[in-house]
Amino acid sequence: MSNNNLIKGSLQTIILKLLEENDRMYGYEITQKVKELTAGEIKITEGALYPALHKLEADGLLTTEIEQVDNRVRKYYSLTKDGQKEVDNKMAELQGFVENLQRILNPTWNPGLT
Amino acid sequence: MRNLTDIEYQAIKSAIVRKEISSAEILMEVYDHYVSHLQEYGEVDFDDQLAELEEKFTYGYCHALQAKFNKEIRKEIGVLQWEVVKKNFCLSRILYVLGFMMIAFYLGSNVKNEKEGAIMMVAPLLILSVFHIYFLVKSSSRIKKIKENMSQASSLQSSLFYPFSERMYLPVIMAYSIVWFADLIFDVQVLSNIAPQIAATFSILLFIYVISLMEVWKIKSKTSLL
């Protein structure tokens, strides 16, 4: 089953959370990290990743650094102060959504008992 | 991870140049993605993996990505400049701004004819002209290396270049119109009386605009190819 549609809505949260834990990352590294953490179950497509990164940068949640690596320029992304604040909001929002989804999928589920 | 051969690098560059990307930021990001990905695979898999990347980074995708990025950049520069302008009215800076306004209005009160008024209004543009030359030299030197590396035609430019250039030309056009209408202002009796104050106001507005644009460039030049 393709996870793409499920991931779309939470891509920004995934990026922000990864950058909170990894200080700074470049595009390809983010795709690889997600692949590694989910044992290949979730693959972030480049088609969605780069527009999301650029959007977060334009919204002031990410800042970039340009660095020379071998014979090429690499663009590293990291969180701004606003981005750091936004991680908590986005995480709470996503966790709330997951809990609500659980209630719908499994009405007997009670988060307090897990 | 392995080091790619010169032939492999050439194959990647050719594939990317064919996409006719004009944004240096997008071009370098796509190039870095290609190289980082292909370094993970052996020489045997190179062609297959390159073909796979080509399916993801199609001509259409790259141009859509570039268009979106350019749009976001334009928006970002506008927001950033407005934030910088607002900072001038914060408690820590307001004294400088008030001091500058007092000087401008004092000089304005000594304006005797339309020529002096016009000179006062366009004075901030001298700073802008010097900044523009510095901006052109600096941005072209940063892009030059990438153009050489990618053997790319002259169309390659930072995505921030045009939004910045437009913002630099805007006050020039505005000032040109003001100078053009200066005679008209001084000819009308009512306007003539307040012409020195009009000149001082325009001078202040232009000065704040130019300084804020320079600050935005200073911020963005640290994190982009500008």
Side-chain angles (χ1 to χ4, degrees), chain A residues 9 21 23 25 35 37 40 45 50 53 58 60-61 73 75 77 83 86-88 92 107 109-114:
Chain A
E21 284 165 6
D23 193 29
M25 295 175 98
K35 211 167 142 185
L37 289 171
T45 61
Y50 288 106
L53 284 170
L61 300 178
V73 174
K75 193 175 176 182
Y77 294 88
E86 191 63 15
V87 179
D88 295 333
W109 179 76
N110 186 340
L113 298 175
T114 54

Side-chain angles (χ1 to χ4, degrees), chain A residues 27-28 53 78:
Chain A
Y28 182 74
L53 284 170
S78 54

Side-chain angles (χ1 to χ4, degrees), chain B residues 113-135:
Chain B
N113 53 47
E114 64 266 35
K115 268 189 186 168
E116 284 181 16
I119 289 168
M120 190 180 175
M121 283 190 277
V122 298
L125 295 182
L126 291 173
I127 303 166
L128 189 68
S129 305
V130 176
F131 170 54
H132 195 195
I133 295 165
Y134 182 71
F135 165 80

Side-chain angles (χ1 to χ4, degrees), chain A residues 26-28 31-32 35 46-51 53-55 57-60 62-66 68-75 77, chain B residues 9 13 25-26 28-29 31-33 35-37 39-41 56-57 61 65 68-69 72-73 75-76 142 146 149 220 222-225:
Chain A
Y26 55 97
Y28 182 74
T31 61
Q32 294 309 102
K35 211 167 142 185
E46 293 78 1
L49 175 73
Y50 288 106
L53 284 170
H54 298 158
K55 175 90 176 62
E57 187 189 353
D59 290 344
L62 299 185
T63 185
T64 53
E65 273 173 77
I66 300 282
Q68 194 78 22
V69 176
D70 298 331
N71 205 17
R72 63 188 189 275
V73 174
R74 176 168 284 168
K75 193 175 176 182
Y77 294 88
Chain B
Y9 273 118
K13 284 174 190 174
E25 284 84 2
I26 297 294
M28 291 320 295
E29 201 155 35
Y31 180 61
D32 184 46
H33 191 101
V35 174
S36 304
H37 179 81
Q39 280 178 334
E40 301 290 325
Y41 295 88
K56 290 176 186 169
F57 291 89
Y61 167 74
L65 186 67
K68 266 188 194 171
F69 184 66
E72 300 283 4
I73 284 287
K75 190 179 107 187
E76 191 189 350
R142 292 190 85 172
I146 300 168
N149 187 29
K220 290 308 291 176
K222 287 177 192 163
T223 61
S224 65
L225 294 165

Side-chain angles (χ1 to χ4, degrees), chain B residues 47-63:
Chain B
D47 290 334
D48 289 342
Q49 288 303 320
L50 182 60
E52 204 174 284
L53 284 169
E54 285 289 89
E55 278 175 26
K56 290 176 186 169
F57 291 89
T58 60
Y59 184 95
Y61 167 74
C62 289
H63 280 259

Side-chain angles (χ1 to χ4, degrees), chain B residues 106-212:
Chain B
Y106 172 74
L107 291 173
S109 64
N110 291 317
V111 166
K112 289 179 185 70
N113 53 47
E114 64 266 35
K115 268 189 186 168
E116 284 181 16
I119 289 168
M120 190 180 175
M121 283 190 277
V122 298
L125 295 182
L126 291 173
I127 303 166
L128 189 68
S129 305
V130 176
F131 170 54
H132 195 195
I133 295 165
Y134 182 71
F135 165 80
L136 290 174
V137 172
K138 194 88 179 167
S139 59
S140 66
S141 75
R142 292 190 85 172
I143 296 295
K144 198 180 164 190
K145 283 178 196 166
I146 300 168
K147 278 184 183 173
E148 281 171 1
N149 187 29
M150 299 298 291
S151 315
Q152 179 87 343
S154 56
S155 63
L156 190 72
Q157 200 56 268
S158 167
S159 279
L160 285 93
F161 183 82
Y162 291 110
F164 259 99
S165 297
E166 284 164 16
R167 279 172 186 271
M168 281 183 200
Y169 291 128
L170 189 72
V172 177
I173 295 164
M174 197 180 89
Y176 189 76
S177 321
I178 292 165
V179 173
W180 187 259
F181 288 110
D183 287 344
L184 198 75
I185 293 169
F186 276 86
D187 282 347
V188 179
Q189 189 57 43
V190 185
L191 288 175
S192 175
N193 293 337
I194 55 161
Q197 284 73 29
I198 295 174
T201 307
F202 272 112
S203 183
I204 291 163
L205 290 174
L206 267 179
F207 203 82
I208 290 174
Y209 182 89
V210 170
I211 295 293
S212 64

